[in-house]
Structure formats: C-alpha cells, structure tokens
Amino acid sequence: MLARDLRAAVGDTPLVGLPALSPPGYELYVKLEGHNPTGSVKDRVAKYLLEDAERAGLLHPGSRILEPTSGNTGIALAALCAPRGYKLSCVMPENTSVERRRLLELYSVDIIPSPAAEGSNGAVRMAREIADADPDVYLPFQYGNAANPRAHYETTGPEILRDLPDVAAVVAGLGTGGTLTGVGRRLKEHDPAAKVFAAEPEYGELVYGLRNLDEGFVPPVLDTSVLDGRIKVDSLAALTETRRLATEEGIFAGISTGAALAVALRVCNPRRLAEGSKVVVVSPDGGWKYLSTGAYAAGNLEQIAASLAETVWA
Amino acid sequence: MPIEVRVPTVLRKHTAGEKTLSGSGSTVRELVEDLEGRNPGLRQSLVGDDGQLHRFVNVYVNDEDVRYLGGIETPLSDGDSVSILPAVAGG
Ligand SMILES: Cc1ncc(COP(=O)(O)O)c(C=O)c1O
C-alpha cells in the first residue's frame, strides 16, 4: 500500500477473525484500528476534523488548535498538525496513561491537565472555558463536531461492509459516541435488522468522583437512536478479555477492546442474535499505550484491575 | 432475594453514606419508590417531574442501561443487580 503522505495512510485497517474466541454458532471479528498511523481509530477522526476546518478556511500555518481529549484524539491531531504548522494544545485528564503524555510531548503539544476527579467531563469544561476567552484558538470539539461520526460513516462503516457484507452486529466502545453513531448509521442503512451495541467503560469511584448528576455530559454527536443496547463493563472484565485476546488469538490490544469483546460475547445469544451471526468488534487501539499502567504485567489480576479502574482508559 | 442497588458517591448523602442498598420492586420505578421510603431525596435525584430518568443519570440492570430495556418500567426479578452511575464521556 503506497500512501502519498500520512493522511493518505489513515484507515483501511484489517478485519481479523477470532476463531478461538467465537462462541459456538457465532463468528466474531475484530477491526484493528491500532493499525492506523498513530495507533488508534482517532486518526480517522483527526483527519476529518482538520479537513473540514481547512475547507471552511479556518486553519493556516501558525493557527492554534485546542481540543479536550483522553489521549488518542490528541495524539492523532498532533501527528497531522505537525507537518502543517498548526500549534496544538490538548486539555487532558491528569489520570491518563504516561504514554499518552509522552507522545504528545514528542509532537510539542501543549498539555493542559484537567482534574482527575472530573474525568473527561472536566477536560471538556476547561477546553470550553479557554476557547471562550480566546477567540483566536480553533476548537474542533470532537464531542460536538459532525465530522467525527462522519469519519466513521464514510470510512469505518463502509470498510466493515466491504469485508463482511452479511455482518449482523457491531460492538464498539463508547467515548464520544462517534464510532457507534457513524458505523451504526451506515450499518442500519445497509441492513435495518443489523444491531449496534455500546460497551461503556465502568470506572472506579475516583473517576466518577463527586460530580453532580446534573453536571453530567452526553456528547452531542452520540445518536442514541442507533443503539440497540448499552452495556457497562468494569476494568476487571475488560482486562480479562483483553488478555484472552492475546493468549488465545495472539492479538495485543488496548483495554477498551476487551470491554467491547466482553459485550460481543454477551450478545452472542439466540435471544438477541440468530445463530450463525457475524459480529464485528471495533478495537480502538493496540496495547502499547497501556504498558506503564501494569495492565499486562504479571501479578494478581484483581489488584491490577483495581488500580486500572482509576485511570481513564477509553 | 432482594435487589441490590449500587449508589454513586454523589448520592450517598441520601443513603447515610451507604454504598449499596437493598430494595424490592417488580420494576425500576417500584424499586425507586421502595428505596425512597428509607432514603428520602433519592427519587428526586433520579427521576424528573415527567416521571422519566434524568438525562445525566444512567441506571443499569445487570449491567444493561435501562434506556434500551424498558426505561423506568424495566421489569426486575429477585437477585437482579442494579447500579446507578453518572454519565461520563471518553475520547
Ligand atoms: C481507547 C478508546 N476506547 C474507546 C473510544 C471510543 O471512541 P468514540 O469516541 O468514537 O466513542 C476511544 C476513542 O478515543 C478510545 O480511544
């Protein structure tokens, strides 16, 4: 595959069968978004966010961009901003993995830490405050920008349908909801009977903190009408499945992938999906950025999961 | 067997600091009514004037968001586990 530049190398990721993990009567496949240039599904989104803004004449060499992110979107934006001379700042919760920060540092991104106890909601709040006070900074805002789900509607979804036209269901993690909304819409246009399931990370108490329920945040890009179910997965279950993916299929993935796999295994049930169904799990990233969390280290799995539960892994 | 309910930190002011409650009811709505009797203020934090769950509150029955089951009328059986979580984003 020849790409003229990094942007052209985004997408077209492998869809890999999981013969050892598929329950009897079902076929599971995982779409490895970790194969994108900066190692996550967010390369697709970053490309769409920037190209939209460029078409609208909002960006020029030297432009400043600000984005709230738990990491992957920031890294993806950074790689595409660098060659174009855009200056990127990211508001990121202080309890994300050190690899995410190191990668942003490599690209000379200005990292603005937001309080751990506010999770991604805090990053969103701070980014909005900064952008309101600084009209020259461009805020792509993946949580509210239609280019985010459109990246999946125009690329991730069609790739899945090209490779597996008779796919019965897709499972993906829920962050901004961009993946689920974009892939879900495309899938249901193709086959209204197809199902879309969200795997929602369930964290430890620290991440939920003391936030008020009425200060919650539902990303505007999330179209809940495309979802057929939303299932929460705690760190232990996510980690258990992430490790099985490595030991039984040889695939080294991030923690969200295990969460989505746990949901896929749960919905492979004749009450929800006919026997013979093909189910696609979207793996948003590989395991590299989680090594320092101890997620893959030897030791007591429950203890590892408990410490992981306090970092934002989606 | 009663239904176990996990309560997030922010709502524990209504539960005398308890992390888990035990209640009964054949639907989520009945369960909330039952809990309200012993934990005044809890219902108002979960349910709006329209009788539906607040937008930023997620209630799960056996890990599934009730919005995709039967909403506040989702049926419950003995031994189900219910959890309440604030809505958080990722990305
Ligand atoms: C690790 C991980 N899991 C899940 C997601 C969810 O993606 P989305 O924002 O499309 O909902 C992301 C997005 O960055 C992610 O990085």
Side-chain angles (χ1 to χ4, degrees), chain A residues 69-70 73 120-121 142-143 175-176 200 202 205 208 210-211 213-214 216 224 227 230-232 266 272 314, chain B residues 6 9-12 19 45-46 55-58 60 62-65 68 83 85-91:
Chain A
T69 172
S70 57
T73 303
S120 295
N121 300 15
Q142 56 172 336
Y143 298 92
T176 63
E200 183 174 11
E202 178 181 15
E205 304 243 305
Y208 294 106
L210 288 171
R211 93 190 46 185
L213 292 180
D214 49 10
T224 54
L227 300 184
R230 174 168 170 166
I231 297 167
K232 70 177 171 62
R266 177 168 173 149
R272 300 214 213 221
Chain B
R6 283 173 47 208
T9 321
V10 275
L11 293 185
R12 292 186 201 151
K19 212 168 152 164
S45 303
L46 301 177
R55 180 166 154 77
F56 298 130
V57 182
N58 295 332
Y60 304 81
N62 303 330
D63 296 329
E64 301 223 15
D65 186 332
Y68 302 93
S83 17
L85 286 178
V88 295

Side-chain angles (χ1 to χ4, degrees), chain A residues 41-90:
Chain A
V41 68
K42 292 297 184 176
D43 284 328
R44 299 176 188 269
V45 174
K47 179 175 176 218
Y48 268 64
L49 290 172
L50 292 181
E51 286 179 356
D52 246 34
E54 284 166 350
R55 265 196 300 271
L58 298 170
L59 296 176
H60 312 279
S63 287
R64 289 182 301 124
I65 299 177
L66 173 74
E67 183 69 356
T69 172
S70 57
N72 279 339
T73 303
I75 296 161
L77 280 171
L80 296 183
C81 283
R84 295 194 130 59
Y86 307 146
K87 273 292 299 162
L88 179 65
S89 302
C90 288

